[in-house]
Amino acid sequence: MADEKPSKRNDPTSQLARGELVHAEVKPLDLSGIPSVITGIVAWTVAFFVVLIFRDELKENGLEWWLWVTVAGAGLGLIGLVYCRRRWSAIQAGHRSPTED
């Protein structure tokens, strides 16, 4: 038993520590974030109109506040859109790096 060598661990963390695993350099698909924010704004706007259709039923059940949740979601999305556009302009002008936030 004294001649037995400890077995080599094969879990990913150990392999990474030994340099056996290499991470590929993967760049993000969307650096600006603008398409994602626009998608969110559209989704909140669609939700607003759906909730608007059922407003009377929601009012009867005390859930009319759902209408204001959709308004807040779209409004915050517009604020996010302004932020993303300014950030993207600064990145393209070279005032900040894409990874800085």
Side-chain angles (χ1 to χ4, degrees):
M1 291 213 159
D3 294 335
E4 288 184 27
K5 294 182 181 177
S7 63
K8 192 175 183 181
R9 288 178 50 186
N10 288 327
D11 59 287
T13 304
S14 299
Q15 290 175 331
L16 183 62
R18 290 192 301 267
E20 295 173 1
L21 293 180
V22 179
H23 284 277
E25 185 66 32
V26 179
K27 295 184 180 184
L29 296 176
D30 175 26
L31 292 176
S32 71
I34 294 171
S36 301
V37 174
I38 290 173
T39 302
I41 292 170
V42 169
W44 281 115
T45 304
V46 168
F48 171 78
F49 287 110
V50 169
V51 170
L52 196 60
I53 293 169
F54 297 104
R55 185 174 187 184
D56 292 334
E57 293 175 33
L58 292 171
K59 194 172 190 175
E60 288 174 9
N61 295 321
L63 299 173
E64 193 177 16
W65 59 270
W66 283 12
L67 182 68
W68 300 110
V69 170
T70 61
V71 171
L76 290 172
L78 291 172
I79 293 169
L81 184 61
V82 170
Y83 171 80
C84 286
R85 285 191 173 163
R86 286 184 181 175
R87 179 181 173 273
W88 187 240
S89 295
I91 289 170
Q92 289 186 326
H95 298 298
R96 63 190 294 181
S97 73
T99 56
E100 179 185 332
D101 250 338

